[in-house]
Amino acid sequence: MASAPYSSIRMMRHRFLKLFRRNRPEAAPTPEQGADLPFFAASDHEDLKRKLLWKAGGACRGRTLSVFMDQNNRCNLKCKMCGFSDSRVGAVPKYDMPRRLFESIATQVFPQTNILVLSIMTEPFMTRDFPDRLKAVREFGVPHSEIITNGTLLNELNIGKILDAGITCLTFSIDGGTKETYEAVRTGARFENVMANLRLFQSMRKDRGTLLPRLRINHVLSELNIDFFDSFLSLVSEIHPEKIGVRTVSRMSDAIIQESSDPIFWAKVGVVRGRLAEFCQRSGVEDAGFLRDRPTLIDLVGDVGDKLICRAPWENFAIHANGDVYPCMAWTRAPIGNLMRQSFSEIWHGSELEALRREFASIKPGIDCLNCVIRRAASDPNDDFFYQKVAKQLRDSESW
């Protein structure tokens, strides 16, 4: 499915911002002077707000959901900043989301979905029939769809099915511009194989005469690779994707590399931010992510001074491979439902989600996921969401 022209997207974005302002939660107090926000330049503030609120045209067609789902609990790599490098994960029994469960979710949820991300924290192509499941994206006319992959398992057959399905964005995770740096971070991957698969995708897309999926490169900054960011930009220049997203490490259970609060590291991040901005301006590659400038809280305010509030319980559906549903993928509190035992409507209009919406309206959590004040259970002081996610098992699977 072709994407809307850029002028139409801008128009839809402005319409959504107006809708958001009319329907926002009760206004929160404006942050005091001296809070974290003033460290942001005005352009940073507006850029982050624009990306957080972007909905394109789907909402105007009755599609209001952003859906995030993993369809297995495994990966073939052990990247050092990822929870799959946690030593506990190896002993966890592995499974795929049952095909019938996926099809049930697609039938109920996809017709209302505006943005669909078909993989978040696990490798989607580890699901045995994942490429065949993609046809549901075209079948239900999902406007915006994304697959995030490490790129190691792509081949001509599954790339063809990605193209057939009308996926709008294919994201490769590449955390180094050279073989040495890349393989130091992404344990188990071979740099040259991933580059060959990426080139194969670009070639097949060109042969089809289509612009979709747009190619995005994700890059996670850590102490292992931040000193080699220029070589990464050189690689991106050679690849010339349509989009790039750069961020710092977020905690993922007991991963080998954890998020940093080191002032020296964050000073380097500041330098990288400048180089990234210059590169995108020069090359025409879209900066589709947001590279934060510090580990401390970021709050944003709207045009009339009201604090922007997280809208996850009203807009998001995060689905784990066992059917559990959450308002976001990093949630460690109890699920709001399970799609193996309940319908979408029962969950969306159920008492658990309604109670959570009231809690959000009362507490008014901001938009900074890294410093979220509401997603963690009291029994989870160490933020162990990743291990909890992959360690959970299928329930009632025999009925599926």
Side-chain angles (χ1 to χ4, degrees):
M1 181 175 293
S3 60
Y6 285 119
S7 59
S8 298
I9 290 175
R10 284 196 296 266
M11 179 178 66
M12 295 300 185
R13 181 182 297 142
H14 291 321
R15 289 178 180 174
F16 176 77
L17 287 173
K18 291 179 181 179
L19 178 66
F20 177 87
R21 290 168 190 143
R22 287 198 302 268
N23 294 283
R24 61 181 182 265
E26 181 184 356
T30 303
E32 297 178 0
Q33 290 295 322
D36 283 333
L37 180 60
F39 286 94
F40 265 105
S43 59
D44 286 332
H45 180 176
E46 292 303 316
D47 181 51
L48 178 55
K49 183 170 67 173
R50 175 182 61 82
K51 290 171 179 174
L52 287 167
L53 299 181
W54 181 81
K55 293 293 179 184
C60 297
R61 301 199 300 273
R63 292 178 175 267
T64 58
L65 282 179
S66 294
V67 176
F68 308 87
M69 62 189 305
D70 275 323
Q71 298 175 50
N72 64 58
N73 68 338
R74 59 193 187 275
C75 186
N76 58 328
L77 304 183
K78 295 182 179 179
C79 303
K80 289 185 170 65
M81 69 294 184
C82 176
F84 281 106
S85 68
D86 184 331
S87 60
R88 299 172 295 171
V89 171
V92 171
K94 309 302 189 291
Y95 65 92
D96 292 345
M97 174 185 283
R99 179 67 175 266
R100 287 181 59 195
L101 175 58
F102 171 80
E103 291 174 349
S104 174
I105 292 169
T107 299
Q108 296 180 74
V109 180
F110 288 8
Q112 303 178 68
T113 299
N114 181 31
I115 299 171
L116 173 64
V117 183
L118 285 162
S119 50
I120 298 295
M121 300 174 193
T122 68
E123 172 50 43
F125 291 96
M126 294 291 286
T127 302
R128 286 180 293 274
D129 59 349
F130 178 75
D132 294 324
R133 300 182 183 201
L134 297 178
K135 62 185 179 182
V137 177
R138 180 178 291 278
E139 179 182 351
F140 291 103
V142 178
H144 303 279
S145 53
E146 181 177 9
I147 299 170
I148 303 171
T149 176
N150 58 40
T152 60
L153 301 177
L154 289 178
N155 55 43
E156 185 172 351
L157 179 61
N158 55 37
I159 291 173
K161 292 182 178 182
I162 291 171
L163 295 167
D164 291 342
I167 302 299
T168 60
C169 183
L170 178 63
T171 297
F172 281 69
S173 297
I174 300 177
D175 300 307
T178 65
K179 177 180 175 67
E180 180 181 12
T181 305
Y182 173 87
E183 293 183 4
V185 176
R186 299 202 143 251
T187 305
R190 294 182 61 190
F191 179 75
E192 58 271 24
N193 287 357
V194 173
M195 290 299 104
N197 292 344
L198 189 153
R199 299 293 187 190
L200 176 62
F201 161 72
Q202 289 181 308
S203 175
M204 291 180 64
R205 183 181 63 173
K206 181 178 180 181
D207 290 344
R208 293 277 189 109
T210 180
L211 299 177
L212 297 177
R214 298 180 77 194
L215 175 62
R216 171 170 168 160
I217 305 298
N218 277 355
H219 184 80
V220 180
L221 286 174
S222 69
E223 289 87 346
L224 279 180
N225 63 12
I226 195 167
D227 292 328
F228 307 104
F229 189 70
D230 286 345
S231 66
F232 169 70
L233 290 181
S234 296
L235 177 66
V236 174
S237 184
E238 294 175 15
I239 297 170
H240 202 78
E242 287 73 40
K243 303 180 183 182
I244 184 175
V246 181
R247 66 173 179 85
T248 55
V249 172
S250 298
R251 177 174 174 80
M252 296 183 73
S253 292
D254 292 339
I256 292 173
I257 295 177
Q258 296 291 334
E259 59 195 17
S260 176
S261 58
D262 182 359
I264 295 176
F265 174 80
W266 285 98
K268 292 179 179 180
V269 171
V271 174
V272 166
R273 280 166 53 88
R275 290 177 179 168
L276 175 63
E278 189 278 332
F279 171 82
C280 290
Q281 183 177 22
R282 170 171 46 85
S283 67
V285 176
E286 177 189 350
D287 180 6
F290 187 82
L291 178 57
R292 61 187 306 130
D293 67 342
R294 60 190 184 278
T296 51
L297 179 65
I298 296 171
D299 269 336
L300 294 181
V301 296
D303 294 343
V304 296
D306 53 329
K307 177 181 175 181
L308 293 185
I309 305 300
C310 177
R311 298 282 301 169
W314 292 273
E315 299 175 353
N316 289 1
F317 225 53
I319 307 170
H320 289 191
N322 72 338
D324 280 348
V325 177
Y326 299 83
C328 80
M329 292 300 286
W331 201 257
T332 63
R333 294 166 56 178
I336 55 176
N338 183 284
L339 286 162
M340 295 189 80
R341 301 186 299 276
Q342 298 166 276
S343 69
F344 165 75
S345 180
E346 287 172 337
I347 297 172
W348 191 250
H349 300 290
S351 58
E352 291 86 353
L353 190 50
E354 287 299 325
L356 189 62
R357 288 168 181 150
R358 290 193 296 271
E359 182 181 355
F360 266 65
S362 175
I363 295 176
K364 299 180 176 62
I367 48 74
D368 187 349
C369 296
L370 187 65
N371 295 289
C372 180
V373 299
I374 201 169
R375 68 176 178 83
R376 284 163 56 183
S379 59
D380 181 35
N382 297 320
D383 200 3
D384 201 24
F385 80 88
F386 183 89
Y387 179 74
Q388 292 185 28
K389 168 183 159 53
V390 299
K392 65 176 62 173
Q393 294 297 297
L394 283 169
R395 293 176 288 180
D396 307 322
S397 59
E398 65 277 0
S399 63
W400 291 89

